[in-house]
Amino acid sequence: EDQVTQSPEALRLQEGESSSLNCSYTVSGLRGLFWYRQDPGKGPEFLFTLYSAGEEKEKERLKATLTKKESFLHITAPKPEDSATYLCAVQAANYGQNFVFGPGTRLSVLP
Amino acid sequence: DSGVTQTPKHLITATGQRVTLRCSPRSGDLSVYWYQQSLDQGLQFLIQYYNGEERAKGNILERFSAQQFPDLHSELNLSSLELGDSALYFCASSVDSTLNYGYTFGSGTRLTVV
């Protein structure tokens, strides 16, 4: 069965303390891996799509990387406004346009 | 504002009742997706419509149904509500291909069944 897991479940960082979030997946025929940010009570906001192993994408303090089995979201020198839940989702060949979402990592950045 | 509009934002209703959630997709998007997010289940795909036709079904209960109208807005109907149906219900929209840009989500409808 296709599965997407994320770790850690929750992460508390001091402002400026860099770290990484993990998304592990087991799917057949990965078409794309997506990262979303979700603020409390709001809909997820699209961050990145990664298509193939070795690919990297960056946006401000965030950098996403992809291997054949997992993806990392690196957060460099985070600020309190980076506090949110980060979700990864995978799209496989037999999903059509649909995703399987992971449970998310709840990130808190303390000033 | 993401461009995807969901109404109402909050809904409180009793068990056994029926409710309708409404979604207007972003301008130009033909696909509409419905997701349920509860604390213990995460984001679960319910159903997708493309240009008025059902395209894919996920873990949608028989008590739930949806449709997409000619103006592309969509409605999710939930009937015989149970306490366990309390959740955030998100609508998302996309152009035909989601690979480059993913979905655009609305801000959700919080349903509380009492």
Side-chain angles (χ1 to χ4, degrees):
Chain A
E1 182 183 330
D2 295 342
Q3 202 168 22
V4 182
T5 59
Q6 292 187 247
S7 62
E9 186 176 318
L11 181 63
R12 290 167 69 108
L13 300 174
Q14 290 296 133
E15 185 172 0
E17 180 187 1
S18 301
S19 189
S20 295
L21 314 182
N22 176 268
C23 170
S24 296
Y25 62 92
T26 52
V27 297
S28 300
L30 180 75
R31 294 183 65 208
L33 185 140
F34 300 76
W35 282 98
Y36 281 85
R37 168 194 171 124
Q38 186 175 21
D39 293 300
K42 298 197 174 178
E45 178 187 340
F46 172 76
L47 293 173
F48 304 108
T49 308
L50 301 165
Y51 300 103
S52 56
E55 188 174 1
E56 299 181 352
K57 292 224 175 133
E58 284 188 69
K59 180 179 179 179
E60 296 179 358
R61 295 176 292 283
L62 300 176
K63 178 178 167 181
T65 62
L66 181 65
T67 72
K68 287 188 176 178
K69 292 184 179 180
E70 58 191 353
S71 177
F72 292 93
L73 185 65
H74 307 278
I75 303 178
T76 302
K79 298 182 178 181
E81 53 261 43
D82 295 322
S83 298
T85 295
Y86 290 86
L87 300 166
C88 75
V90 298
Q91 188 179 54
N94 60 341
Y95 290 177
Q97 295 176 25
N98 303 304
F99 302 159
V100 172
F101 278 86
T105 292
R106 194 168 60 255
L107 174 67
S108 300
V109 182
L110 308 175
Chain B
D1 181 7
S2 68
V4 178
T5 304
Q6 288 189 249
T7 56
K9 291 193 181 307
H10 302 277
L11 201 48
I12 301 175
T13 190
T15 54
Q17 294 299 304
R18 172 190 168 96
V19 297
T20 298
L21 313 183
R22 181 188 168 104
C23 168
S24 294
R26 197 177 52 168
S27 178
D29 287 355
L30 298 178
S31 277
V32 169
Y33 309 79
W34 286 97
Y35 276 79
Q36 180 191 58
Q37 187 175 41
S38 55
L39 283 175
D40 57 344
Q41 291 286 329
L43 267 166
Q44 299 287 315
F45 168 66
L46 296 178
I47 197 163
Q48 177 199 359
Y49 278 83
Y50 175 78
N51 203 21
E53 294 190 2
E54 183 183 302
R55 176 68 71 92
K57 247 180 179 176
N59 301 320
I60 188 166
L61 300 172
E62 285 191 13
R63 300 183 284 110
F64 296 1
S65 64
Q67 53 185 326
Q68 187 179 27
F69 295 87
D71 67 353
L72 300 178
H73 91 271
S74 178
E75 293 181 356
L76 179 67
N77 300 296
L78 314 177
S79 62
S80 302
L81 285 167
E82 302 175 359
L83 295 177
D85 297 326
S86 296
L88 268 168
Y89 290 84
F90 287 105
C91 167
S93 71
S94 73
V95 297
D96 189 37
S97 170
T98 57
L99 273 182
N100 289 330
Y101 305 107
Y103 301 149
T104 300
F105 280 86
S107 54
T109 293
R110 182 175 293 281
L111 174 66
T112 303
V113 182
V114 297

